[in-house]
Amino acid sequence: LGAATIATGATLSSSTTVGAVTNAGTLTVSDGTAGAVTNTGTASNAGTVASLNNTSGTFTNQLDGVISGAVGVSDGTVVNATGAEMQGLATVSGTGTLRNSGELASVSVTGGTFENQSGGEVQGTLTTSVNLTNAGSVAGETTVNAGTLTNTGSLGAATIATGATLSSSTT
């Protein structure tokens, strides 16, 4: 299937290959692949998606789901579940929310909310300019440019800018 546009109230379920998807309805990728996904509806992935731009709605990257490219969350909620992987830079801005209990490459947070939950792993860097909590692990450098990072998980090296706060109760 080539590129697909899913209207509000419509559904696309795919276990094969689909091109780029613009979703305002319901999208389910199971064991298949999809190109770049722009989501304003409800979507889930247990296959492979090339990249994600979530501008509203909800997107769940399920067990064994892979997003191989960049992830942008400017509104709505994206969940990277246990056993799921996001291999490109994840960017959270606006009023978006990213919840991670799986594996992320790197994360940049300039707005919205990022929750690295217990069991969640950031393999690369975490850069934040907002208040957030880390209960998982960050292997690379953490940079707190503004706001407060409350850490109950584990962090690698950390850089805290003037006026920013790192509050850590563990390593």
Side-chain angles (χ1 to χ4, degrees), residues 3 5 15 34 78 87 100 134 148 153-155 160 166 170:
T5 299
S15 60
V78 173
Q87 298 174 336
N100 180 52
N134 175 55
T148 299
S154 64
L155 298 175
I160 298 92
L166 172 62
T170 60

Side-chain angles (χ1 to χ4, degrees), residues 29-52:
V29 178
S30 58
D31 296 326
T33 61
V37 172
T38 299
N39 185 57
T40 60
T42 301
S44 63
N45 174 48
T48 301
V49 169
S51 63
L52 172 65

Side-chain angles (χ1 to χ4, degrees), residues 140-165:
E141 183 168 2
T142 298
T143 302
V144 184
N145 290 319
T148 299
L149 171 61
T150 303
N151 179 54
T152 59
S154 64
L155 298 175
T159 300
I160 298 92
T162 302
T165 303

Side-chain angles (χ1 to χ4, degrees), residues 14 65 133:
S14 178
T133 302

Side-chain angles (χ1 to χ4, degrees), residues 17 32 34-35 54 56 67 72 74 78 81 94-95 101 107 109 112 118 121 140 142-143 151 154 163 167 170:
T17 300
N54 201 81
S56 69
I67 300 175
S74 60
V78 173
T95 58
S101 59
V107 183
V109 186
S118 180
E121 299 177 35
T142 298
T143 302
N151 179 54
S154 64
S167 173
T170 60

